[in-house]
Amino acid sequence: MEPIEIKKDIFWVGVVEFDHRDFHGYSRCPDGTTCNAYLIRDDKNVLVDTVSPGNAGPLLCRLAKTMPPEKVDYIVCNHMELDHQGVLEEIVERIKPEKIFVSQMGLKSMAGYYAGKNWPVQAVKSGDVLELGKKRIIFQETRMLHWPDSMVSYIPEEKLLISNDIFGQNIASSQRYVDTFADEAEFVHRVKEYYYNIVLPYSPIVLQALPIVESLDIDMIAPDHGLIHRGRPAVKFIIDLYRKMAEQKPQKQALIFYDTMWHSTERMAYAICNGLEESDVPCRIMSVKANHHSAIMTQLADCGAVIAGSPTHNNGIMPLVAAMICYMSGLKPLNRVGAAFGSCGWSGESPRFLQNKLAEMKMDLPADPLKCMWAPDKEVYKKCNELGKKVAETLKRKCDNR
Ligand code: FEO
């Protein structure tokens, strides 16, 4: 892959990882990902971010096609997570930069990952300006979006924001720009997937950061993952989508996730779905065995209600449901309607257990947890249908009042 000049004398020099699937050890990127890095050529040459471990070679090759790597003067590390700085040691040894810039909090991560290196690291803070010659970089810290050290780099002369993880997506493609990527639905899905698995807990901070981004004169946002947002309509589109995801206003769709032993809990899930559909609320059922927890989380982006189901197992819930509820809880979704259900042979703790977990996430819980002994009969199916209808009516009221 060739370096791409995205603005005058600013080049994409990242790597596309078509076959990467395990994103950060906890989320899936089903169709690969991209780790973007950018080279700014000026009187002072700057490499903004590096790439993931094992990819120093492709990065250096791309760099070398634009200029001799040793002519790079500065490295900017917008964020120290290793998908961006995993090859820093090899890159620093090769180019021997005059300075490496990190945020104030980045000093800690740098010291943690690269202790004892004695590199020329310098901390910058919001508003600090790095003069390059014809261009400048203005730094803006974005603490907890999504690490304490995160910051973004604004190049006002080119109306360009290099945004690190923010506004990124796990897309592997030969295309570099959103406007040349053929599948808009896929693009939006991958934005939601990234947001709901990485950024969601920090939504209140996103809502504070977006006006700062909007106050800048920008016609391009270049994230460190996936496609570049080129042109003012694309910039507005991604900012609006981020605002929508961060606000988490209720949406008239429900998600049921469940596990099952002998299909009783599964049958309950489908009966609850019927109740929702009869009340005009579309529903998506996702088995935790058939779907990775990050795919279920992505689906939540479009759902205002979450209904969790598990058989009772060892006086608790099934292990994959436990993993799912733990994962979801950590991502702190807001403003949802919830409900819980499950089958059992004897003790039957699972529906109450799940309901308590949903309550901890401050969900509206319009119905008592629904328990079924052994296998659902006509009466249980009727209760499942009623549960679906109760959730649907509560969600519709919430949507009307939003
Ligand atoms: Fe793309 Fe937080 O690393």
Side-chain angles (χ1 to χ4, degrees):
M1 239 167 230
E2 296 298 307
I4 308 282
E5 189 169 19
I6 62 167
K7 286 275 186 177
K8 183 163 170 39
D9 289 325
I10 301 180
F11 294 83
W12 172 87
V13 290
V15 297
V16 181
E17 299 182 89
F18 285 98
D19 290 326
H20 195 77
R21 294 291 179 271
D22 178 11
F23 193 68
H24 291 36
Y26 61 85
S27 181
R28 285 281 155 87
C29 46
D31 293 313
T33 190
T34 308
C35 290
N36 296 325
Y38 301 95
L39 174 72
I40 305 170
R41 283 197 317 209
D42 206 327
D43 296 345
K44 288 290 189 184
N45 302 305
V46 190
L47 177 64
V48 182
D49 291 325
T50 71
V51 292
S52 50
N55 283 312
L59 171 61
L60 284 168
C61 277
R62 243 149 253 150
L63 256 181
K65 286 180 177 174
T66 63
M67 61 185 299
E70 57 275 13
K71 295 219 159 160
V72 173
D73 299 284
Y74 302 145
I75 298 176
V76 169
C77 301
N78 277 328
H79 167 38
M80 287 300 299
E81 194 160 14
L82 294 183
D83 48 335
H84 307 294
Q85 315 306 342
V87 297
L88 196 57
E89 191 165 358
E90 290 140 285
I91 299 300
V92 169
E93 276 177 16
R94 178 74 172 80
I95 68 181
K96 301 198 171 20
E98 187 183 319
K99 283 268 167 61
I100 302 172
F101 295 96
V102 298
S103 68
Q104 302 281 329
M105 298 300 285
L107 287 176
K108 285 190 186 173
S109 336
M110 181 66 89
Y113 277 130
Y114 296 108
K117 290 293 173 196
N118 205 22
W119 289 341
V121 178
Q122 182 175 322
V124 292
K125 59 184 187 313
S126 289
D128 282 358
V129 179
L130 182 61
E131 299 284 351
L132 305 178
K134 296 181 210 57
K135 305 183 204 299
R136 294 166 293 161
I137 296 177
I138 303 176
F139 297 105
Q140 174 69 47
E141 292 166 278
T142 52
R143 287 188 191 191
M144 297 318 299
L145 288 180
H146 68 118
W147 271 23
D149 69 338
S150 299
M151 66 175 184
V152 297
S153 295
Y154 175 48
I155 298 102
E157 292 73 17
E158 298 299 333
K159 303 185 191 335
L160 169 65
L161 183 72
I162 299 179
S163 63
N164 195 261
D165 280 329
I166 313 167
F167 306 124
Q169 342 86 44
N170 282 323
I171 289 176
S173 170
S174 297
Q175 302 302 325
R176 295 275 63 79
Y177 301 104
V178 175
D179 57 280
T180 53
F181 188 67
D183 191 338
E184 187 183 339
E186 172 78 0
F187 160 69
V188 170
H189 182 73
R190 297 292 171 216
V191 172
K192 290 178 180 175
E193 176 185 73
Y194 196 92
Y195 190 94
Y196 260 70
N197 286 283
I198 310 279
V199 186
L200 186 66
Y202 313 110
S203 291
I205 306 174
V206 170
L207 290 173
Q208 289 168 11
L210 288 179
I212 298 172
V213 175
E214 288 174 307
S215 73
L216 305 174
D217 186 14
I218 295 173
D219 66 11
M220 182 180 282
I221 296 179
D224 273 14
H225 295 291
L227 306 170
I228 295 168
H229 312 274
R230 174 170 64 177
R232 291 192 192 274
V235 167
K236 181 174 181 330
F237 181 85
I238 191 65
I239 290 173
D240 289 348
L241 182 53
Y242 253 59
R243 179 168 286 114
K244 186 174 173 204
M245 290 188 294
E247 286 176 342
Q248 299 186 67
K249 288 184 180 164
Q251 298 183 73
K252 208 181 85 173
Q253 192 174 175
L255 166 66
I256 299 176
F257 70 84
Y258 75 99
D259 204 353
T260 198
M261 288 188 202
W262 299 104
H263 302 290
S264 294
T265 302
E266 180 180 42
R267 287 185 202 135
M268 293 175 79
Y270 278 79
I272 293 167
C273 176
N274 283 346
L276 284 150
E277 288 175 346
E278 284 166 22
S279 299
D280 195 28
V281 169
C283 178
R284 171 82 191 266
I285 299 176
M286 298 181 88
S287 146
V288 292
K289 284 197 185 84
N291 298 278
H292 191 263
H293 55 251
S294 56
I296 295 174
M297 215 43 223
T298 304
Q299 185 63 34
L300 188 62
D302 297 320
C303 294
V306 188
I307 305 168
S310 174
T312 295
H313 180 238
N314 296 336
N315 303 108
I317 57 177
M318 293 277 274
L320 292 178
V321 179
M324 183 66 234
I325 206 88
C326 173
Y327 186 65
M328 182 176 284
S329 169
L331 285 160
K332 298 185 173 57
L334 299 173
N335 209 17
R336 260 63 183 197
V337 179
F341 66 99
S343 64
C344 63
W346 48 101
S347 56
E349 290 92 344
S350 62
R352 173 59 65 190
F353 186 102
L354 285 172
Q355 184 101 339
N356 289 343
K357 292 290 173 193
L358 299 175
E360 284 170 15
M361 287 185 255
K362 302 190 173 18
M363 294 193 187
D364 296 348
L365 301 165
D368 289 335
L370 180 57
K371 179 164 78 176
C372 157
M373 299 296 289
W374 303 110
D377 58 12
K378 202 171 162 188
E379 188 57 27
V380 170
Y381 284 130
K382 184 164 171 281
K383 286 183 178 166
C384 289
N385 187 284
E386 287 166 0
L387 176 73
K389 287 197 160 91
K390 263 190 194 169
V391 170
E393 293 313 319
T394 305
L395 179 58
K396 286 196 286 188
R397 275 197 300 279
K398 223 170 149 71
C399 290
D400 290 344
N401 294 333
R402 74 183 190 181

